[in-house]
Amino acid sequence: MKKLSIKAKVTLWYTALVFLLIVVLLGDLFYFSSRVLYERAGESLSRVVEAAAGQVHFERGELDEREIGFYADGVSVFLYDDQGRRLAPRSGSGPKVNALLEDGVLKSSQDGGERWLVYDRYTQIDGVSLWIRGVTPDTGFSGPLGTMLLLALIASPFLLLIAAGGGYLITKRAFLPIEHMIGTVRSISGGNDLSRRIGGSGAKDEIARLGGTFDEMFDRLQTSFEDEKRFTSDASHELRTPAAIILSQCEYALEDEKSASELRESVRVILRQAKRMNSLIARLLLLARADNGRLQPEFEEVDLGELCAVVCEELEPSAKQEGLTLHQEIEGQVALTADQTLLMRLVTNLLSNAIRYNRPGGSVTLCLRTEGENALLSVRDTGIGIAPEHLPKIFGRFYRADAARTAERGGTGLGLSIVRSIAQVHGGSVEAQSTLGEGSDFTVTLPLRREENPGVCEPD
Ligand code: ADP
């Protein structure tokens, strides 16, 4: 049974049910019809016997047969004396039934290869004791009822066949979407074509919902596979450029005679590229740890106001160099439980971006305040801004709104991913608002008190 398909199981179940129904119905029909027939025959027998009793007379001990109806409504009447000897009719015609005489009992008797229904009545008429017996053929189911039962019995196997066939076809139809689903899933896993979808049938049943859920899962899988592919290719591309520069500088330095200053310049270039690679690898490692849940912040009491002031002080020279003014709006003391090093990196990334993507004469404003149970840190700039189509994607890895301009400004496309991961491991979040050509505003929300289960990092 375990090896049968659901279609076969459902069909078997319905067929068995129909079979049981037919057996019960026919059984009931047979039982109740035979009872009705038996009772009707009994009534007719007793009526004829009673009528005959009213017609029996004895004159001076001699039976007067003239008025007795010995045959009525298919019932033959016989009279016996109290010794069981037949009194009338005297001729030997009529059914020969040798059943025992029993007063008021309706019984069935087999005589001469035929079945009879017999009813006896013991009575006293004109001082003579006698038995009056009514006998009628026991037709049983040989009449129209029998024909009906026979027809029902003949029809039963056909009914069973129709039930089984119909049930199988209906379940087969009902399972068609599942067959389609199996086919699609097989072609996805066999052909590695993640773009295929099951698609809805328009119905709102469970199977359609299952198909929809599979499609959502394939959407997520496709996005995550594509992200992973893009991430690997972006990461190799990012590492390839400095590696190529280092290689070419090394080859150049080893060529012919080189002056000491030329060699120093080559080493400087190599050092710059090595630092770039080192920083890129460190960033990638941090993101990988955050994805695997292995980025374990070292929580301690941090004065976020002081931390922001320190970062601002560090970045002040580069802001000045770009002709920018750096403002701080820190409301009171904002103390929270967090990882100081990670928060420092978060603030640095946001402020560096605000400086990097600004315009000469522009400004950068860092605001810090508490709101309820959270610290709100926002970094606002009057820079180049981000176009609306790029805004939802800027937290993605290696995503650059304006690749040429970003590369020119030394960006790697990982800064905001790191900001988001750091906010998430602290149970917080980050949002960006921006108007192209006017400036951007990045707001980080961080809970003041550490939660037991800080937010899980969502890989892009
Ligand atoms: P990057 O290292 O390239 O700056 P980020 O992840 O920090 O990488 O930023 C992703 C992209 O978002 C940047 O390439 C840039 O196009 C855009 N961006 C980030 N911050 C700002 C900002 N303050 N103003 C304008 N564009 C920004």
Side-chain angles (χ1 to χ4, degrees), residues 262-455:
E262 279 174 326
L263 282 176
R264 244 198 314 276
E265 183 49 35
S266 280
V267 172
R268 252 197 298 274
V269 174
I270 291 171
L271 182 69
R272 209 167 41 240
Q273 294 307 322
K275 273 185 181 167
R276 185 170 156 77
M277 280 175 92
N278 193 37
S279 128
L280 194 71
I281 291 167
R283 284 166 175 229
L284 286 173
L285 253 172
L286 189 141
L287 285 169
R289 281 208 197 103
D291 286 353
N292 299 336
R294 286 193 292 116
L295 182 63
Q296 300 291 341
E298 285 176 17
F299 286 102
E300 58 185 313
E301 281 298 306
V302 178
D303 183 340
L304 192 54
E306 202 181 293
L307 185 145
C308 287
V310 171
V311 180
C312 282
E313 205 177 311
E314 265 177 30
L315 293 176
E316 186 78 56
S318 50
K320 265 212 181 95
Q321 205 182 329
E322 299 286 330
L324 306 169
T325 37
L326 196 56
H327 303 284
Q328 289 179 52
E329 291 172 13
I330 299 174
E331 279 179 23
Q333 205 201 25
V334 181
L336 74 165
T337 318
D339 183 313
Q340 183 154 336
T341 318
L342 290 179
L343 282 196
M344 212 137 190
R345 185 172 289 207
L346 179 148
V347 181
T348 309
N349 283 4
L350 288 178
L351 278 176
S352 310
N353 277 352
I355 295 168
R356 194 183 293 151
Y357 303 110
N358 221 308
R359 281 182 296 206
S363 70
V364 175
T365 312
L366 183 146
C367 301
L368 180 65
R369 63 192 167 89
T370 52
E371 197 177 270
E373 296 293 296
N374 295 314
L376 293 189
L377 167 80
S378 94
V379 175
R380 214 166 51 233
D381 64 65
T382 54
I384 57 173
I386 304 162
E389 68 268 22
H390 294 302
L391 203 54
K393 302 176 191 161
I394 51 166
F395 292 99
R397 274 151 217 195
F398 291 113
Y399 192 84
R400 289 136 163 167
D402 183 342
R405 208 155 162 185
T406 310
E408 171 194 305
R409 294 173 192 224
T412 56
L414 290 176
L416 289 178
S417 304
I418 291 174
V419 167
R420 190 171 71 170
S421 291
I422 295 176
Q424 283 174 345
V425 292
H426 283 86
S429 60
V430 57
E431 274 175 27
Q433 284 177 332
S434 186
T435 312
L436 194 62
E438 285 184 21
S440 313
D441 186 352
F442 287 84
T443 306
V444 180
T445 308
L446 293 168
L448 293 174
R449 294 287 137 235
R450 197 187 142 206
E451 280 176 31
E452 276 311 305
N453 294 313

Side-chain angles (χ1 to χ4, degrees), residues 105-292:
V105 176
L106 175 72
K107 56 183 174 268
S108 185
S109 171
Q110 175 113 29
D111 270 294
E114 277 190 74
R115 292 197 68 81
W116 304 95
L117 281 174
V118 183
Y119 178 77
D120 302 319
R121 175 99 153 75
Y122 184 67
T123 183
Q124 271 209 335
I125 299 169
D126 302 329
V128 180
S129 300
L130 79 158
W131 289 91
I132 305 172
R133 164 167 283 182
V135 177
T136 189
D138 185 355
T139 51
F141 291 96
S142 59
L145 195 77
T147 317
M148 203 181 85
L149 274 172
L150 191 73
L151 279 177
L153 272 174
I154 293 168
S156 304
F158 293 103
L159 235 141
L160 268 181
L161 263 177
I162 292 169
Y168 184 77
L169 284 179
I170 289 171
T171 37
K172 197 176 166 188
R173 261 187 86 91
F175 278 94
L176 267 183
I178 293 196
E179 297 287 348
H180 168 65
M181 234 180 257
I182 293 170
T184 315
V185 173
R186 276 209 182 122
S187 74
I188 289 173
S189 61
N192 278 332
D193 181 6
L194 266 176
S195 64
R196 288 203 61 181
R197 292 292 176 273
I198 291 162
S201 59
K204 284 187 177 159
D205 54 17
E206 288 80 355
I207 294 175
R209 271 184 18 228
L210 180 70
T213 314
F214 266 126
D215 279 351
E216 279 167 30
M217 187 184 78
F218 291 137
D219 282 345
R220 279 199 300 275
L221 276 178
Q222 189 181 11
T223 317
S224 105
F225 277 132
E226 278 169 4
D227 282 354
E228 198 155 319
K229 259 203 277 184
R230 206 186 55 231
F231 179 75
T232 317
S233 109
D234 285 350
S236 354
H237 181 77
E238 289 297 328
L239 288 168
R240 215 173 56 189
T241 315
I245 297 175
I246 290 172
L247 278 175
S248 71
Q249 281 299 318
C250 289
E251 278 165 9
Y252 169 75
L254 291 172
E255 268 173 19
D256 306 330
E257 291 281 293
K258 287 279 174 309
S259 67
S261 68
E262 279 174 326
L263 282 176
R264 244 198 314 276
E265 183 49 35
S266 280
V267 172
R268 252 197 298 274
V269 174
I270 291 171
L271 182 69
R272 209 167 41 240
Q273 294 307 322
K275 273 185 181 167
R276 185 170 156 77
M277 280 175 92
N278 193 37
S279 128
L280 194 71
I281 291 167
R283 284 166 175 229
L284 286 173
L285 253 172
L286 189 141
L287 285 169
R289 281 208 197 103
D291 286 353
N292 299 336

